[in-house]
């Protein structure tokens, strides 16, 4: 296979990863968290969230890794590292930032302390904790969607 073929495969994996990853974040943000916040029992709310979040965690970690690796491969194949020096490639900076934040949360912060912090705070004040988590998801989803739109247009030559 030629490098062009590897690039096409990497891009397909990258796009599939983004669809599954950001689509999952969109589902959690727009459907799951609002539905869970509507549950009146704080104990049931926490139990349901943790059950569903545990199921999604593996998928999120897997596709976040696949997206990062495939993005790296694409950049390496086209030797596109200097694009980070140009402001009109802002969407690459944003994609990288979004990826880094999710990777940091999923692989480092959550296992080290966020999971326990969340359980403790949800037990103390479920309403406030779930609102905070929902607002954080809204913010990250918004950044992610801006990156997706920017990448879709920017990768085809559109200059903002």
């Amino acid at each position: 296979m030629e490098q062009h073929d590897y690039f096409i495969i990497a891009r397909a994996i990258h796009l599939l990863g983004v669809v599954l990853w950001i689509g999952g974040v969109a589902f959690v943000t727009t459907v799951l968290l609002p539905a869970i916040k509507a549950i009146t029992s704080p104990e049931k709310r926490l139990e349901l969230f943790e059950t569903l979040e545990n199921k999604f965690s593996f998928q999120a970690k897997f596709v976040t890794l696949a997206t990062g690796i495939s993005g790296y491969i694409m950049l390496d194949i086209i030797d596109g590292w200097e694009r980070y020096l140009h402001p009109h490639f802002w969407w690459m900076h944003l994609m990288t930032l979004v990826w880094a934040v999710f990777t940091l949360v999923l692989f480092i912060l959550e296992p080290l302390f966020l999971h326990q912090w969340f359980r403790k705070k949800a037990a103390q004040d479920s309403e406030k904790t779930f609102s905070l988590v929902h607002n954080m998801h809204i913010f990250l989803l918004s950044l992610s969607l801006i990156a997706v739109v920017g990448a879709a247009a920017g990768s085809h030559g559109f200059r903002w």
Side-chain angles (χ1 to χ4, degrees), residues 53-75:
E53 191 265 342
N54 284 337
K55 297 280 186 190
F56 181 60
S57 180
F58 175 76
Q59 175 184 322
K61 287 176 182 173
F62 181 78
V63 296
T64 301
L65 269 180
T67 301
I69 292 168
S70 59
Y72 177 87
I73 289 169
M74 287 189 298
L75 270 175

Side-chain angles (χ1 to χ4, degrees), residues 2-70:
E2 296 180 24
Q3 282 216 326
H4 182 70
D5 296 327
Y6 288 118
F7 184 86
I8 292 169
I9 292 167
R11 179 173 265 179
I13 290 168
H14 195 74
L15 290 173
L16 181 61
V18 168
V19 167
L20 292 172
W21 166 27
I22 304 305
V25 173
F27 173 77
V28 168
T29 305
T30 63
V31 177
L32 182 63
L33 284 170
I36 288 175
K37 284 169 53 178
I39 296 172
T40 55
S41 166
E43 297 81 24
K44 287 183 180 179
R45 187 182 297 157
L46 180 60
E47 179 184 334
L48 178 60
F49 178 77
E50 287 198 329
T51 299
L52 297 174
E53 191 265 342
N54 284 337
K55 297 280 186 190
F56 181 60
S57 180
F58 175 76
Q59 175 184 322
K61 287 176 182 173
F62 181 78
V63 296
T64 301
L65 269 180
T67 301
I69 292 168
S70 59

Side-chain angles (χ1 to χ4, degrees), residues 3-4 19 22 44-45 60 69 71 73-74 77 82-83 94 96 103-104 106 108 110 114 118 132 137 145-146 158:
Q3 282 216 326
H4 182 70
V19 167
I22 304 305
K44 287 183 180 179
R45 187 182 297 157
I69 292 168
I73 289 169
M74 287 189 298
I77 288 172
E82 82 202 25
R83 291 181 178 193
L94 186 55
T96 305
T103 301
L104 180 68
L106 289 170
I108 298 171
E110 192 174 274
L114 271 183
F118 174 74
L132 174 65
H137 276 78
L145 294 176
I146 292 167
F158 187 81

Side-chain angles (χ1 to χ4, degrees), residues 123-155:
Q124 291 172 351
D125 188 346
S126 184
E127 295 289 330
K128 186 176 176 183
T129 303
F130 274 92
S131 287
L132 174 65
V133 168
H134 191 206
N135 287 334
M136 288 172 23
H137 276 78
I138 290 169
F139 177 72
L140 289 173
L141 176 61
S142 299
L143 284 181
S144 300
L145 294 176
I146 292 167
V148 166
V149 169
S155 65

